[in-house]
């Protein structure tokens, strides 16, 4: 297909596709003439993958590039591939000044994760963020202890098991890699969206739809 066909089938403007080509996020097409190239189904899939990561997951292009590179690198085992996804979704942040309750929140979260039986490295993606959330909730007098996260952890574990069970034969096939990464990224977005929808539904149910805030 021509670049115009690629644009029509994906809804991505030709100018954006050319940008992806120049930035090597999208591999070049097969030359068929001066300033002309032909593109195939692989380009179509790749473009849809890029747009899902940027438009739905709101990832920046450097993160998208990291994910695409990892998907294509068969030397990275599937378990390590998930590690790449986790750190891409929750990148390391600069150290923040110590504030009230942060050290205790980190200790509470560490103990909480141990109590769940989760085996995690010290730099596991999400550990610091969860502690920062807990410290902020407590600092803002939200009366929230680490035990409040128990149902969230239980739901996250069940949903992740369902996700991993979709991998045939342990995810050893190269064809499994892109779907595995897509699910890891987009199902997190879906979980957040569903929580927001549930929140809207239950708030309306409890307080009445259309009520003006007090």
């Amino acid at each position: 297909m021509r670049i115009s066909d690629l644009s029509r089938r994906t809804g991505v403007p030709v100018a954006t596709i050319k940008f992806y080509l120049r930035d090597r996020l999208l591999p070049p097409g097969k030359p068929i003439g001066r300033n002309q190239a032909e593109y195939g189904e692989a380009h179509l899939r790749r473009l849809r993958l890029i747009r899902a990561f940027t438009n739905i997951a709101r990832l920046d292009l450097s993160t998208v590039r990291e994910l695409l590179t990892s998907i294509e690198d068969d030397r990275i085992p599937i378990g390590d591939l998930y590690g790449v996804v986790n750190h891409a979704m929750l990148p390391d942040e600069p150290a923040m000044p110590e504030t009230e309750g942060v050290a205790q929140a980190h200790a509470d979260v560490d103990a909480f994760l141990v109590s769940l039986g989760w085996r995690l490295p010290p730099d596991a993606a999400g550990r610091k963020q969860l502690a920062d959330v807990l410290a902020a909730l407590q600092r803002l007098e939200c009366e929230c202890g680490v035990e409040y996260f128990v149902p969230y952890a239980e739901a996250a574990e069940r949903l992740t098991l369902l996700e991993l069970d979709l991998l045939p034969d342990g995810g050893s096939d190269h064809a499994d890699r892109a779907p595995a990464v897509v699910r890891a990224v987009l199902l997190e977005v879906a979980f957040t969206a569903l929580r927001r929808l549930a929140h809207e539904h239950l708030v309306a149910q409890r307080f009445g739809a259309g009520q003006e805030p007090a």
Side-chain angles (χ1 to χ4, degrees), residues 67-122:
L67 294 178
L68 293 174
T69 300
S70 300
I71 288 170
E72 293 170 347
D73 190 348
D74 289 332
R75 296 170 300 177
I76 301 177
I78 193 73
D80 292 342
L81 180 61
Y82 280 118
V84 172
V85 175
N86 290 335
H87 281 282
M89 298 293 286
L90 283 174
D92 294 332
E93 299 176 354
M96 298 293 289
E98 185 72 18
T99 54
E100 183 182 354
V102 170
Q104 184 59 52
H106 276 265
D108 290 344
V109 164
D110 287 345
F112 172 65
L113 295 174
V114 169
S115 72
L116 293 173
W118 292 2
R119 298 173 58 188
L120 298 164

Side-chain angles (χ1 to χ4, degrees), residues 146-162:
V146 72
E147 68 281 353
Y148 190 79
F149 297 139
V150 170
Y152 286 84
E154 292 173 344
E157 186 169 292
R158 288 197 303 272
L159 292 171
T160 303
L161 284 172
L162 288 172

